[in-house]
């Protein structure tokens, strides 16, 4: 979701033959969607006529700027939490001074602190020239590093980029201006494992989305409000966008018992009320470059966003759910895998209709969370679990032996030794946690802890199903504390 100076390096690294395709990638980076675009169709495969994600994107009556949307959500959260922030200030200031302090810090938090723009020329495959404008935007530096330029901040993959591009950035930086920096490969995350990447990064955003839904769908109090039973077992879901986020979220929901009945892409949608297997659909798309024509599903006519399901996962681009289609959405849970897929007007309609929206602010944070784990791994120059793997394995075997000896001392060995047979779950863990185990555990814990905080905040301020405002209030409280305790320098 952030732009980086490394885009210019990518073009130079690609070479003249790749300038056209790299330019297209760089241009698409200016969008907000997550996930990878479909590959070019194979020769001989003719997909049906092209259709778009949703007509909602063309709804000019409800087409706010993304940053304005965020500012509006921030303002609502700030108005709710302001009195509590004033009340919690333990200073000798007067009431008026405290309120001035709170409002002042909130005004510091709201704007984007740093925006760096740059322009560079590219030549497309058809010979035409174009100037691409890229951005590095940092909303706040209360905690560093931010997303941004290699070596100063830590970029990560987004739309139309992946391990290959991150490897280019890391290698280019390490062999040029980062030549004397021992931590050079920590300049970017989302790298291949061989280049200092971390297990679980590719699927992290989709896995985080799954854990986010899991925390709320297993909460009986919320499910009773929605008129649903807890758990994934009897739930159906629809995915808009079959890129990285859509694919992996579909995988995990499918694995835990939910049924995917429809998938939408920019060139059309498919539907099967009996369920769509994510692995089969992934294989088909890799072979044909499109989900259209998948033999185990039918083309879906109409908007995929309005399909009858329990859970809707918009994992494509922003502003897909607007006031024009929000009244026709049938899902009871909307899980925002994309950035800003719901406009403020649509958000109000969903609240009025008793539909739970699990906000992007929280739900698609799995990628940046595991990027943080990768960054720490690079700074430590050692894989997670390597220093403790053998110790944990030996400790677990000693634990089993201790139990066996205790039982034999108590009951004797008249019938021979008493065998201690570990459960299948314990047997899987007996050798100690691998890097992937640690990453998955850390991500699950992070998503669970944040979900509990959002739930407590929603209850504390009586917000009901308004989880977006609860998430903003929760975030504002944390950032406010850092700014207030760090102090402010006036010039």
């Amino acid at each position: 979701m952030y732009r980086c100076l490394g885009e210019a390096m990518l073009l130079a690294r690609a070479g003249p033959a790749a300038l056209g395709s790299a330019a297209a990638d760089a241009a698409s980076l200016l969008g907000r969607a997550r996930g990878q675009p479909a590959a070019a169709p194979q020769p001989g495969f003719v997909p049906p006529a092209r259709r778009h994600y949703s007509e909602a994107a063309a709804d000019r009556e409800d087409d706010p700027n993304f940053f304005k949307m965020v500012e509006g959500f921030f303002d609502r959260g700030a108005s709710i939490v302001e009195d509590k922030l004033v009340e919690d200030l333990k200073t000798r200031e007067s009431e008026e001074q405290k309120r001035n302090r709170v409002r002042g810090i909130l005004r510091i938090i709201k704007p984007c602190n740093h925006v760096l723009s740059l322009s560079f020329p590219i030549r497309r495959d058809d010979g035409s020239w174009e100037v691409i404008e890229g951005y590095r935007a940092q909303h706040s530096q209360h905690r560093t590093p931010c997303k941004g330029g290699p070596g100063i901040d830590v970029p990560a993959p987004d739309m139309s980029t992946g391990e290959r591009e991150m490897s280019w950035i890391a290698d280019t930086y390490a062999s040029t201006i980062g030549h004397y920096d021992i931590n050079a490969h920590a300049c970017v995350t989302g790298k291949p494992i061989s280049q200092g990447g971390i297990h679980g990064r590719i699927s992290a955003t989709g896995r985080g989305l799954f854990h986010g839904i899991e925390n709320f769908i297993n909460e009986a109090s919320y499910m009773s409000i929605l008129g649903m039973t807890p758990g994934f077992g009897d739930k159906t879901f629809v995915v808009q966008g079959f890129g990285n986020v859509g694919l992996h979220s579909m995988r995990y929901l499918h694995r835990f018992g939910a049924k995917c009945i429809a998938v939408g892409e920019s060139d059309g949608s498919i539907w099967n009320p009996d369920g769509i297997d994510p692995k089969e659909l992934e294989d088909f798309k890799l072979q044909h470059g499109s989900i259209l024509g998948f033999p185990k599903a039918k083309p879906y006519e109409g908007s995929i966003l309005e399909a009858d399901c329990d859970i809707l996962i918009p994992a494509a681009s922003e502003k897909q759910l607007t006031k024009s289609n929000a009244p026709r959405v049938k899902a009871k849970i909307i899980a925002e895998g994309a950035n800003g897929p719901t406009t403020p007007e649509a958000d109000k309609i969903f609240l009025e209709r008793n539909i739970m929206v699990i906000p992007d602010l929280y739900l698609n944070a799995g990628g940046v969370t595991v990027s943080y784990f990768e960054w720490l791994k690079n700074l430590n120059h050692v894989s997670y679990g390597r220093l403790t793997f053998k110790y944990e394995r030996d400790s677990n075997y000693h634990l089993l032996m201790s139990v066996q000896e205790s039982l034999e001392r108590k009951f004797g060995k008249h019938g021979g030794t008493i065998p201690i047979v570990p459960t299948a779950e314990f047997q899987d863990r007996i050798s100690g946690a691998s890097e992937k185990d640690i990453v998955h555990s850390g991500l699950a814990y992070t998503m669970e802890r944040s979900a509990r905080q959002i739930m407590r905040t929603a209850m504390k301020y009586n917000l009901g199903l308004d989880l977006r405002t609860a998430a903003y209030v929760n975030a504002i409280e944390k950032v406010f504390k850092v700014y207030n305790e760090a102090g402010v320098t006036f010039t």
Side-chain angles (χ1 to χ4, degrees):
M1 68 188 277
Y2 298 87
R3 310 298 157 242
C4 63
L5 291 173
E7 293 165 18
M9 291 195 293
L10 291 184
L11 293 178
R13 181 63 179 270
L19 278 175
S21 59
D25 286 350
S28 65
L29 278 169
L30 300 180
R32 309 292 295 190
R34 291 182 179 267
Q36 300 292 340
Q42 294 293 320
F45 177 77
V46 181
R50 182 179 181 86
R51 293 190 294 120
H52 296 287
Y53 277 121
S54 169
E55 296 302 321
D59 181 6
R60 294 303 160 198
E61 294 182 6
D62 189 17
D63 187 24
N65 174 275
F66 180 82
F67 186 59
K68 294 298 181 185
M69 288 169 52
V70 173
E71 285 191 321
F73 294 136
F74 176 90
D75 287 340
R76 172 163 168 72
S79 66
I80 289 173
V81 77
E82 181 181 311
D83 290 342
K84 187 67 170 63
L85 293 177
V86 173
E87 179 185 330
D88 289 345
L89 281 180
K90 306 302 179 186
T91 66
R92 300 177 65 180
E93 296 171 309
S94 66
E95 187 72 16
E96 181 181 2
Q97 289 173 324
K98 288 182 179 180
R99 192 161 296 275
N100 286 338
R101 171 184 288 272
V102 169
R103 289 179 175 174
I105 292 177
L106 291 176
R107 280 196 291 269
I108 293 172
I109 295 173
K110 181 179 176 179
C112 190
N113 282 8
H114 287 171
V115 178
L116 173 66
S117 65
L118 73 158
S119 300
F120 52 92
I122 56 94
R123 186 177 59 205
R124 294 192 176 277
D125 290 338
D126 62 3
S128 62
W129 291 37
E130 187 174 343
V131 175
I132 298 295
E133 187 173 12
Y135 299 87
R136 183 191 74 170
Q138 297 176 342
H139 190 275
S140 175
Q141 291 97 3
H142 72 288
R143 285 283 188 263
T144 55
C146 300
K147 294 291 184 186
I152 303 172
D153 309 300
V154 187
D158 205 301
M159 184 178 179
S160 300
T161 60
E163 288 186 333
R164 181 185 66 169
E165 290 78 17
M166 299 305 106
S167 180
W168 287 353
I169 294 175
D171 186 62
T172 302
Y173 176 78
S175 60
T176 54
I177 58 177
H179 180 65
Y180 294 105
D181 184 0
I182 195 172
N183 296 319
H185 275 77
C187 72
V188 66
T189 59
K191 304 180 294 293
I193 300 298
S194 65
Q195 303 299 310
I198 193 169
H199 289 89
R201 175 60 184 86
I202 293 176
S203 63
T205 308
R207 190 180 182 94
L209 187 143
F210 159 74
H211 284 306
I213 299 174
E214 179 185 38
N215 284 303
F216 286 95
I217 208 168
N218 286 329
E219 189 63 35
S221 58
Y222 279 108
M223 292 303 100
S224 64
I225 295 175
L226 300 177
M228 301 171 70
T229 57
F232 286 107
D234 58 343
K235 306 301 187 298
T236 59
F237 68 98
V238 167
V239 178
Q240 184 207 33
F242 196 62
N244 181 277
V245 179
L247 166 62
H248 288 100
S249 58
M250 181 180 174
R251 275 183 176 175
Y252 290 115
L253 265 70
H254 175 82
R255 187 177 300 174
F256 281 81
K259 182 167 64 176
C260 180
I261 59 172
V263 178
E265 281 267 70
S266 59
D267 56 351
S269 305
I270 58 173
W271 172 76
N272 183 348
D274 297 323
I276 300 171
D277 185 275
K279 183 65 171 67
E280 293 178 359
L281 184 60
E282 179 190 15
D283 291 342
F284 181 86
K285 182 180 176 180
L286 287 173
Q287 181 180 357
H288 299 286
S290 173
I291 63 171
L292 300 184
F294 181 60
K296 295 186 178 181
K298 298 178 180 178
Y300 185 86
E301 300 300 331
S303 172
I304 195 75
L305 300 171
E306 299 167 17
D308 193 359
C309 63
D310 297 309
I311 305 168
L312 172 63
I313 303 175
S317 55
E318 64 187 46
K319 293 178 286 189
Q320 293 296 301
L321 296 166
T322 68
K323 68 178 181 180
S324 66
N325 61 9
R328 298 190 298 276
V329 171
K330 299 177 182 64
K332 298 298 293 181
I333 299 173
I334 297 173
E336 295 186 330
N339 289 319
T342 308
T343 66
E345 290 296 322
D347 209 47
K348 293 176 185 177
I349 294 172
F350 292 141
L351 282 174
E352 293 168 358
R353 296 186 57 207
N354 210 46
I355 294 174
M356 173 189 283
V357 179
I358 309 178
D360 54 353
L361 175 69
Y362 157 71
L363 198 62
N364 64 27
V368 73
T369 300
V370 177
S371 277
Y372 174 65
F373 297 162
E374 181 179 333
W375 181 65
L376 292 181
K377 173 186 176 180
N378 294 158
L379 295 183
N380 289 320
H381 298 274
V382 65
S383 300
Y384 287 102
R386 181 170 182 174
L387 300 182
T388 59
F389 191 85
K390 187 176 186 304
Y391 182 85
E392 289 181 1
R393 182 187 62 190
D394 292 346
S395 296
N396 287 329
Y397 279 115
H398 283 302
L399 175 62
L400 293 176
M401 293 298 296
S402 176
V403 172
Q404 181 177 357
E405 290 173 5
S406 296
L407 291 174
E408 290 174 350
R409 281 198 300 270
K410 176 69 175 178
F411 300 106
K413 294 185 180 181
H414 305 297
T417 59
I418 300 176
I420 302 298
V421 181
T423 64
E425 291 79 8
F426 188 63
Q427 186 66 52
D428 289 339
R429 295 169 178 261
I430 205 168
S431 295
S434 65
E435 180 175 85
K436 183 181 288 187
D437 294 330
I438 293 171
V439 168
H440 287 174
S441 176
L443 174 59
Y445 171 72
T446 300
M447 298 302 292
E448 179 184 359
R449 183 180 65 173
S450 296
R452 296 300 165 193
Q453 291 172 347
I454 291 171
M455 292 178 193
R456 285 196 296 269
T457 301
M459 184 175 297
K460 177 180 177 181
Y461 292 97
N462 195 28
L463 295 174
L465 288 178
D466 192 359
L467 301 180
R468 189 187 310 280
T469 299
Y472 271 86
V473 167
N474 192 42
I476 289 170
E477 287 178 332
K478 292 178 181 178
V479 179
F480 176 89
K481 183 177 181 181
V482 174
Y483 273 104
N484 184 51
E485 293 181 353
V488 179
T489 301
F490 296 95
T491 56

